[in-house]
Amino acid sequence: MLTTAKIEEIRARIKTWKNKGESVAFVPTMGNLHAGHISLITEGRRRADHVVASIFVNPMQFGPNEDLAGYPRTLEADQQKLVEAGCELLFLPTPEIIYPRGLAAQTFVEVPGISEQLCGATRPGHFRGAATIVCKLFNIVQPDIALFGRKDYQQLQIIRTMVEDLSLPVEVMGVDTVRESSGLALSSRNGYLTAEERAKAPALKRTLDDLAEAIKAGNAVDSAINSAKAALQAAGLTPDYIELRQAQTLTPATDKDKELVLLAAAYLGKARLIDNLVFNR
């Protein structure tokens, strides 16, 4: 696996592949890789001739009180996992390479509406940072397909909307969430959980499962969501939000909508956990 911080080296290698008519899959990450990330690499190998990954802890998507400095960085272990999974090219840029004029002077990409709700309401500017870095990485790598985990469901829909609105020639694919045996969705931020908190964390997935069943049974949505929030609190989590949305647009669900998604975020110690559940009514 070639590891480089140089944009020109990335482009040269990919140009060589594409001149041969070979396809490229891309997995952008912030590092501290786990089995969920590796599932994206594996799926990329199934769908393209070559797989490229990036590791960049993006300062633009961190708020002033968030964990940019403390975000876990495990480069050596990450590289080993990528090699074992069959990744051939790793882009490892610095903030100076990505934002040479600094964040304050950086052109940004923002997907309106969808970016300000749900996690965007709690983390203003977060999805502007995510959309901007993904757009930049797409322009550098120019992949045929890009793979993202469905755990970050709102981010996935934002990237899809950005690609459509900006007419980017990239197929955006969501890959199923990888979970622990307890049901807890894998996340780099799970490392913030203590042993006691990790035992409580699976309550988020259980609560979404129970809530989906209640909605499919015809229970009033508002009442069912309030009961779900109470269940989370009883389990030791502090709900940020639980919302029922139309699965494709993330607009508030109506009685006529059949394809639905439950999205939730909750605080547990130092960690903010997110999860979602897509279902049909």
Side-chain angles (χ1 to χ4, degrees):
M1 181 177 72
L2 172 65
T3 299
T4 180
K6 295 180 179 179
I7 293 174
E8 58 269 25
E9 287 189 2
I10 293 290
R11 286 179 167 161
R13 176 65 65 92
I14 290 169
K15 183 178 180 180
T16 298
W17 291 335
K18 292 203 168 186
N19 283 344
K20 298 176 183 177
E22 296 169 345
S23 57
V24 176
F26 178 48
V27 178
T29 83
M30 293 208 301
N32 193 29
L33 304 183
H34 51 65
H37 297 107
I38 300 308
S39 73
L40 305 181
I41 302 292
T42 301
E43 187 64 25
R45 289 189 65 195
R46 289 184 60 245
R47 293 180 174 270
D49 297 309
H50 304 280
V51 179
V52 181
S54 64
I55 295 176
F56 179 65
V57 182
N58 179 28
M60 188 183 281
Q61 65 193 73
F62 284 78
N65 298 315
E66 294 185 329
D67 56 344
L68 174 60
Y71 193 85
R73 292 162 170 85
T74 54
L75 178 57
E76 187 173 334
D78 292 347
Q79 288 175 302
Q80 184 62 35
K81 290 175 182 176
L82 290 172
V83 168
E84 291 172 356
C87 180
E88 296 169 73
L89 183 58
L90 173 61
F91 184 39
L92 194 66
T94 63
E96 292 74 22
I97 289 171
I98 295 295
Y99 304 123
R101 295 188 296 124
L103 288 180
Q106 171 65 38
T107 299
F108 61 83
V109 177
E110 190 162 37
V111 180
I114 190 175
S115 296
E116 285 83 49
Q117 52 191 284
L118 302 168
C119 283
T122 303
R123 306 180 68 190
H126 169 71
F127 289 118
R128 171 194 287 185
T132 299
I133 187 58
V134 171
C135 187
K136 285 204 67 156
L137 290 170
F138 282 0
N139 284 328
I140 292 167
V141 176
Q142 299 186 356
D144 299 288
I145 181 172
L147 300 103
F148 297 84
R150 290 197 179 101
K151 181 183 77 71
D152 297 301
Y153 193 89
Q154 183 179 8
Q155 175 178 272
L156 175 61
Q157 298 307 99
I158 286 169
I159 298 305
R160 283 176 167 156
T161 302
M162 177 192 74
V163 163
E164 181 178 355
D165 287 355
L166 299 183
S167 303
L168 301 179
V170 182
E171 177 189 351
V172 176
M173 178 183 176
V175 178
D176 287 345
T177 302
V178 177
R179 300 180 181 276
E180 297 182 0
S181 58
S182 66
L184 176 64
L186 295 187
S187 169
S188 297
R189 288 188 169 91
N190 289 353
Y192 297 144
L193 297 171
T194 66
E196 182 180 356
E197 291 163 351
R198 185 173 284 274
K200 297 176 180 178
L204 183 57
K205 175 63 165 57
R206 291 198 302 270
T207 298
L208 289 179
D209 288 339
D210 292 343
L211 178 53
E213 291 303 315
I215 292 171
K216 286 190 283 188
N219 293 3
V221 171
D222 288 348
S223 176
I225 287 177
N226 286 336
S227 296
K229 290 179 179 178
L232 279 182
Q233 290 173 326
L237 287 76
T238 302
D240 180 2
Y241 65 80
I242 303 177
E243 297 271 355
L244 179 68
R245 298 296 178 98
Q246 200 281 333
Q248 304 305 318
T249 63
L250 290 188
T251 53
T254 69
D255 291 340
K256 296 180 180 179
D257 289 321
K258 301 301 180 183
E259 296 182 14
L260 303 172
V261 59
L262 284 165
L263 303 110
Y267 297 96
L268 183 57
K270 295 180 179 180
R272 181 177 180 274
L273 306 177
I274 64 171
D275 209 337
N276 63 81
L277 177 62
V278 179
F279 66 101
N280 291 327
R281 176 164 56 185

